[in-house]
Amino acid sequence: MYLESSGVRVTQLVRFYKLRLGLLLAYAHSIRLDGDIILGGLFPVHARGDHGAACGELKKEKGIHRLEAMLFAIDLINKDPELLPNVTLGARVLDTCSRDTYALEQSLTFVQALIERDPSDVRCASGDPPVFARPDKVVGVIGAAASSVSIMVANILRLFEIPQISYASTAPELSDNTRYDFFSRVVPPDSYQAQAMLDIVMAMGWNYVSTLASEGSYGESGVESFIQISRESGGPCIAQSLKIPREPKPGEFDKILLRLMETSNARAVIMFANEDDIRRILDAAKRHNQTGHFLWVGSDSWGSKISPVIQQESVAEGAVTILPKRASVPAFDRYFRSRSLSNNRRNVWFAEFWEENFVCKLGMHGKRPGSPKKCTGLEKVGRDSSYEQEGKVQFVMDAVYAMAHALHRMHQDLCLGIPGLCSRMSSIDGKELLSYVRAVNFNGSAKTPVVFNENGDAPGRYDIYQYQITNKTAEYRIIGQWTDQLHLNLDAMQWANGDTSVPSSVCSLPCQMGERKKTVKGVPCCWHCEPCEGYYFQASEFTCELCPYDQRPNLNRTGCQPIPIIKLEWHSPWALVPIFVSILGILATTFVMVTFVRYNDTPIVRASGREMSYVLLTGIFLCYVITFPMIATPGLATCSFRRIFLGLGMCFSYSALLTKTNRIHRIFEQGKRSVTAPRFISPASQLAITFSLISVQLLGVVLWFAMDPPHAVVDYGEQRTQDPGNARGVLKCDISDLSLICSLGYSILLMVTCTVYAIKTRGVPETFNEAKPIGFTMYTTCIIWLAFIPIFFGTAQSAERMYIQTTTLTMSLSLSASVALGMLYMPKVYIIIFHPEQNVPKHKRSFKAIVTAATMTSKLSQLASERPNGEVKTELCETKDTNASECCCPVFISYYSHLHSHAGYLIHMPL
């Protein structure tokens, strides 16, 4: 049962435990010491009860010793003039009975002062309103021992912001500062312990072990940490991982032992089990005559305790155990030996301990009714009974002192040296106290530093013990230590029957994920590991299989995962540059079109050939727009637009330019022979020619649609690399290189033809036509597309093929459009906007006069370079046909300067 602060409100918690809390307050069995500041304490005074009972037998060491250690530490602190001067610590100590649910109910006593009671639930017999005695406010809790108990209690204490310091809980789960933010501990977590135990196993040369855990957070988390660290570091193979049930049935431990014997080569058994389970599993091994077979490696729950091995020393011989580095506290030994029934009445369980320790009975109401011996009260601990300080006494005292040092530092900061409790500490804030707890740094009972990290954990310091029998004397001996790394004295180790050689527990190392096991014949738990390579994945422990074509192995090669599909993203640098150029081009083209529409009837616009200009500008606009379908995510619509507009923009542009250059060529060729106008030079004729050329492109697109409907495909072969991690599927339209060539081939043919006509009309005077700007446009365009071909087709094998080809194609289209726009229309827009005085109508001339003027100007230009001034005019007049009455040389020459400035638009003016 876990309570999450995000999902449980205090009011709901109070309602849930209302009845339970009332019963506890009425019958609670606890220790209460008055003081200015009250600390809570949780100790396993009794074992877990059997047959539904809450509590069982008394625990002398783990219960009474630890409890008395807290009381002793409080006595020392209250006597210390330097620590919390004039401030008395009190305590409220409860019994958890080694059961998490029972401990949760008991811990409600700590929060009752923070719960506002509802007087409507209580009625006095006299009818007067009830008066409640204000309970003591607990500012911090010392405990609990078992990790499962600490987890349960921590969930409720964090709701009321009460700091908690444990002296024995080592589950790694408690290091989660997001869930157990008010929990700290003076012992290291099991993650350190698991690493230390793994180092021991590796130092022994064992690579084939079993694990055994008590059900619950401590055991399961410890084994899980051990297995995880072992796998990560390539440690021993786990033969079996067994769990001891929380409520074991009769014969359960015999079944567990028999299962361990199924893998007899795995002699080493890693144990994260409680004290009772350890004793029972050793007893089962003794019953099955397995003395000396198993190599026990115990966690700190075994440590150096006597109770798990008593009366079964031979089975436990050679066991290697681990315990947080500790030292005996002599002052506590003197204190505890001096305890008696008369001077220790504050401990409500001490009488029961007295009976248990001295095997006697106290009066008629004693806890040991069957004991024949009656207690005298004069017995003495350590004289009339055996006594050895329990291993966690030091940590209990360190936990109490850690809370005291935190309170002392808070007192210094808040009370500014004023003796006793000041008003600012009358109600201690739990969050503020927690910050002081996490900041403590002092030397504890064993003269070792007591500090906490950001998760409230103590540093990992362990002593390594081995249970040895020498001359029939069994004892725990320190054989090494672990502080971030293992220091083990192998020469000091001794195994069953006094053997000093390290026994074996070996087999093959476990295979990593993505490797198949090649089993050694006859030895099922030993194998050779072979990695699955290429596009193969680990289909089972023993086989590798090839992934489907559209998949690749995952990172650990335990299965297949879809190959990532890529496309040209809008935010990619390969797309940003073409998009930027395209947007600029669209804005510029729109500006030119708007300008031409606004000044539609002005001479420059009319002289430019309005109808053809609009067609050409439409083609330029489409060349810019095609960038967006080329970059957009491929789909039916996108692929359709690509097919339609990929060559259509160029077709529009070069059809219009070809018609223009052809018209200019025909006019001046006709003018050389006669003054009659050539056919099909009117605007309507020009549009008809242009759209007939465009229709060829549209017809090809229609046939393309009919023969091969557009659709998007994912090409997994384009980037199928040898390393599956780099494999990618390319989402693209189903347009092959041949289809692309056919789509653009007609436009390129128009472009080449237009260039030919531009070359033919290069000799026409520049003042009478647009032949030279068109020529420069076509020359530049040819250079752009000549550069495009090797770049586009030369990168067919590149890993960046999709990006390079798309960017190259879109940039070539945009640059071609930009050249035409800049050379053909920007000068006209410049005159229209900035020199409107040049955009005024002149007297119109007949086509015959225009052609004659153009022809004469051409001849004048040729003769001027060969004749002196004056001779040109005479020669021209002499060579003219006398029947051409419309043209007189002197008159024409007088018009020359007038026509020269406006011939550029006269040649295009409608007849």
Side-chain angles (χ1 to χ4, degrees), residues 402-454:
M403 193 71 75
H405 276 281
L407 290 167
H408 180 75
R409 183 64 182 272
M410 175 184 276
H411 183 270
Q412 288 180 327
D413 292 346
L414 299 183
C415 298
L416 303 177
I418 301 174
L421 282 184
C422 60
S423 58
R424 296 182 65 184
M425 284 192 69
S426 60
S427 179
I428 295 176
D429 179 74
K431 283 188 176 179
E432 190 174 5
L433 177 58
L434 177 66
S435 65
Y436 284 100
V437 169
R438 294 290 173 86
V440 299
N441 189 344
F442 65 96
N443 288 329
S445 305
K447 307 303 179 184
T448 55
V450 177
V451 293
F452 301 105
N453 63 13
E454 65 276 6

Side-chain angles (χ1 to χ4, degrees), residues 548-566:
Y549 190 71
D550 59 345
Q551 295 183 4
R552 65 179 183 182
N554 55 22
L555 290 177
N556 52 28
R557 291 186 177 270
T558 57
C560 294
Q561 62 185 10
I563 294 177
I565 298 174
I566 60 172

Side-chain angles (χ1 to χ4, degrees), residues 6-19:
S6 60
V8 179
R9 298 184 305 182
V10 174
T11 55
Q12 294 173 327
L13 189 65
V14 172
R15 291 173 185 172
F16 183 78
Y17 286 109
K18 183 183 294 180
L19 178 60

Side-chain angles (χ1 to χ4, degrees), residues 104-303:
L104 177 63
E105 297 169 353
Q106 290 287 307
S107 64
L108 291 174
T109 305
F110 298 144
V111 302
Q112 58 180 302
L114 303 175
I115 300 175
E116 184 177 351
R117 298 190 181 183
D118 186 0
S120 63
D121 290 348
V122 181
R123 295 288 184 273
C124 295
S126 62
D128 296 333
V131 177
F132 296 103
R134 183 172 181 81
D136 296 326
K137 180 183 178 182
V138 175
V139 300
V141 174
I142 306 301
S147 296
S148 58
V149 175
S150 289
I151 288 172
M152 190 71 75
V153 174
N155 278 297
I156 189 171
L157 293 182
R158 74 187 295 266
L159 296 179
F160 296 90
E161 298 182 346
I162 300 176
Q164 173 187 3
I165 303 178
S166 173
Y167 50 83
S169 298
T170 57
E173 182 180 355
L174 288 164
S175 297
D176 187 352
N177 203 38
T178 61
R179 293 182 59 189
Y180 307 104
D181 44 343
F182 281 82
F183 179 85
S184 304
R185 49 187 164 190
V186 292
V187 290
D190 286 339
S191 53
Y192 297 153
Q193 185 174 196
Q195 181 65 61
M197 295 174 73
L198 176 63
D199 291 345
I200 293 171
V201 171
M202 298 296 290
M204 299 295 179
W206 299 336
N207 62 11
Y208 193 43
V209 301
S210 296
T211 63
L212 185 61
S214 293
E215 183 178 7
S217 298
Y218 172 80
E220 294 177 41
S221 299
V223 166
E224 183 180 349
S225 296
F226 178 86
I227 293 175
Q228 180 180 355
I229 296 172
S230 176
R231 287 176 177 172
E232 290 175 354
S233 60
C237 173
I238 307 301
Q240 293 191 78
S241 185
L242 306 180
K243 186 191 302 182
I244 302 172
R246 193 185 301 271
E247 302 287 348
K249 299 177 182 179
E252 189 70 38
F253 289 92
D254 293 320
K255 293 179 181 178
I256 292 174
L257 191 76
L258 291 174
R259 289 196 59 186
L260 289 173
M261 292 172 61
E262 290 176 0
T263 52
S264 57
N265 286 342
R267 297 177 60 191
V269 180
I270 312 302
M271 299 183 68
F272 282 86
N274 59 50
E275 185 177 334
D276 295 335
D277 290 342
I278 294 170
R279 185 176 67 252
R280 294 176 185 178
I281 198 68
L282 291 177
D283 185 54
K286 183 178 181 180
R287 288 196 306 270
H288 287 82
N289 297 319
Q290 294 299 316
T291 300
H293 175 75
F294 289 107
L295 310 171
W296 312 106
V297 180
S299 62
D300 64 345
S301 60
W302 185 337

Side-chain angles (χ1 to χ4, degrees), residues 342-387:
S342 59
N343 64 11
N344 198 20
R345 297 184 181 276
R346 62 183 179 179
N347 187 344
V348 298
W349 297 289
F350 197 71
E352 185 180 355
F353 165 78
W354 198 266
E355 290 183 329
E356 188 74 23
N357 192 52
F358 297 107
V359 193
C360 61
K361 176 183 177 182
L362 285 170
M364 296 179 60
H365 302 289
K367 297 291 185 179
R368 296 179 62 90
S371 177
K373 180 182 176 181
K374 186 176 181 180
C375 300
T376 64
L378 300 178
E379 294 87 357
K380 188 173 181 64
V381 176
R383 184 193 67 186
D384 300 317
S385 66
S386 62
Y387 166 75

